[in-house]
Amino acid sequence: MLGARAVLQGLLRHCYKSAYLRMGDYTSQMKKALITGCTGQDGSYLSEFLLAKGYEVHGLKRRASSFNTDRVDHIFQDFHESDNRFFLHYADLTDGSSLSSILHELEPDEIYNLGAQSHVKVSFEVPEFTADVVALGTLRLLEAVRLTGVKCRFYQASSSEMFGSAPPPQGEETVFHPRSPYACAKVFGHNITVNYRESYGIHASSGILFNHESPRRGETFVTRKITRAVARIKHGVQQKLFLGNLDARRDWGFAPDYVRAMWLMLQQETPDDYVIGTAEAHTVREFVELAFATAGLDWREYVEVDPRYFRPAEVDYLLADTSKARRILGWEPTVTFKELVRIMVEADLLELEARRKGGAEALRLAATAEGIHA
């Protein structure tokens, strides 16, 4: 029997495939793309998007003792298949030699650097590792491009977290004021990308992406933590949801919209940096209220604030000024905040329903194993 996640992914792929195909015609000549962080939320959507564009897609994955490819399993084919255009390779942003070897072997037309330790709260606990992957990892990849002489276009995944406490709205000219080790590492990655563009003539662009979510968002990120809890509470599996700062304001969009922006940046003749967001901000409290209401629940009966989830240095208000991206790229978000929350809640309800079909006892055991006591 198909697992719940496989069922959900199949439905999502069916929903998104036609949308991707409408985003543009297939390229007349097959291009080759390399994606770091291919198995993450953005990497999986970008892989689907590029495949729909007719690309040959190569993704980097880290060696792990547990399976870590569930977001791309539905597009993976046996390499013996003659029509296969999606390939995975072992490499790591902490290993410069592996990056150089991959570039020398593949000679990609486009590189999308999405790999990172991207959890802001966790970056306070593992700051050195975060800097090694996020900051130096970007440098290693750019240096590999320079040393191998591969003629390609390079996309760097910068982050709205770099703005930190800078007053909103934040645009390309806003001065960075990072408030976490993750954000500091992203600032280095962003600036070294600009430096290599200016020093070596590399066609390198950075997308300063504001928060973008989906049903594939990691379960420890606050949006997915909320929608997953809503589904569990709705079905009596979970009693309470504990959160940190409910007053933090974020500019939230739909992840598939944002991978389209990444691609558009690399189609420009001149490389540049672009802020990507919805130009609309909402509090965590608003997200919570809407998510619970989608399932017919009153959030005040289930949500409690736990100070342990507050960051050592908070980022209060992020709001994107996307005028440049709209003007030059012609990019616009297609999913509203309300629609985003609904999509995520319904997806988690669907996944839980699929798991329940395996038996209530199995569900309780799974909840206990994950530290959630029904």
Side-chain angles (χ1 to χ4, degrees), residues 117-180:
Q117 188 300 100
S118 58
H119 198 289
V120 175
K121 182 66 166 62
V122 171
S123 77
F124 285 99
E125 299 174 24
V126 288
E128 185 177 344
F129 173 73
T130 300
D132 190 20
V133 175
V134 178
L136 294 182
T138 303
L139 173 58
R140 292 185 187 103
L141 187 54
L142 284 166
E143 186 68 356
V145 171
R146 184 183 73 86
L147 292 175
T148 59
V150 172
K151 302 301 180 184
C152 64
R153 296 187 175 189
F154 183 94
Y155 171 82
Q156 167 62 13
S158 293
S159 168
S160 62
E161 286 288 334
M162 301 188 304
F163 293 121
S165 59
Q170 297 95 1
E172 291 82 4
E173 302 303 319
T174 302
V175 176
F176 299 137
H177 191 156
R179 301 270 285 171
S180 68

Side-chain angles (χ1 to χ4, degrees), residues 27 29-35 47 50-51 53-59 84-87 89 106 108-110:
T27 54
Q29 182 178 356
M30 185 182 294
K31 291 183 180 180
K32 187 184 297 182
L34 176 66
I35 305 173
S47 296
L50 294 177
L51 288 170
K53 288 283 186 184
Y55 280 62
E56 178 179 302
V57 178
H58 295 261
N84 187 21
R85 291 187 289 112
F86 179 71
F87 306 89
H89 308 266
L106 297 179
D109 299 292
E110 297 174 1

Side-chain angles (χ1 to χ4, degrees), residues 345-361:
V345 170
E346 289 180 354
D348 275 317
L349 286 168
L350 176 63
E351 182 174 6
L352 189 56
E353 285 289 348
R355 292 181 64 191
R356 283 178 66 89
K357 290 179 181 178
E361 183 61 21

Side-chain angles (χ1 to χ4, degrees), residues 226 241 243 246 284-293 299 303:
I226 292 167
L241 170 61
L243 296 171
L246 296 181
V284 175
R285 190 187 312 274
E286 289 177 79
F287 195 105
V288 169
E289 182 177 4
L290 189 54
F292 275 84
W299 69 276
V303 177

Side-chain angles (χ1 to χ4, degrees), residues 46 260 302 332 351:
L46 180 60
R260 174 166 47 91
Y302 306 101
E332 298 274 355
E351 182 174 6

Side-chain angles (χ1 to χ4, degrees), residues 191-322:
N191 286 334
I192 201 65
T193 300
V194 174
N195 180 257
Y196 269 62
R197 178 172 72 211
E198 297 175 349
S199 300
Y200 304 113
I202 296 174
H203 191 294
S205 297
S206 289
I208 307 175
L209 272 55
F210 280 62
N211 296 65
H212 45 290
E213 319 296 323
S214 78
R216 297 182 193 175
R217 190 56 142 156
E219 295 171 355
T220 59
F221 288 84
V222 66
T223 52
R224 184 74 197 288
K225 179 180 178 180
I226 292 167
T227 61
R228 189 166 177 262
V230 167
R232 288 172 170 265
I233 290 171
K234 180 70 174 179
H235 289 281
V237 180
Q238 185 172 331
Q239 302 292 313
K240 291 286 184 179
L241 170 61
F242 296 94
L243 296 171
N245 183 10
L246 296 181
D247 296 317
R249 298 176 67 86
R250 292 293 184 270
D251 185 326
W252 277 300
F254 188 44
D257 282 341
Y258 289 59
V259 302
R260 174 166 47 91
M262 299 175 191
W263 177 78
L264 284 170
M265 291 178 208
L266 295 198
Q267 310 317 303
Q268 307 305 306
E269 286 303 314
T270 303
D272 207 343
D273 307 322
Y274 298 90
V275 163
I276 302 297
T278 68
E280 181 181 312
H282 298 271
T283 64
V284 175
R285 190 187 312 274
E286 289 177 79
F287 195 105
V288 169
E289 182 177 4
L290 189 54
F292 275 84
T294 300
L297 300 171
D298 184 348
W299 69 276
R300 290 166 294 189
E301 298 178 14
Y302 306 101
V303 177
E304 294 185 15
V305 172
D306 186 340
R308 288 176 294 184
Y309 290 115
F310 281 74
R311 301 178 186 178
E314 286 287 338
V315 173
D316 296 321
Y317 194 171
L318 295 176
L319 175 64
D321 175 359
T322 62

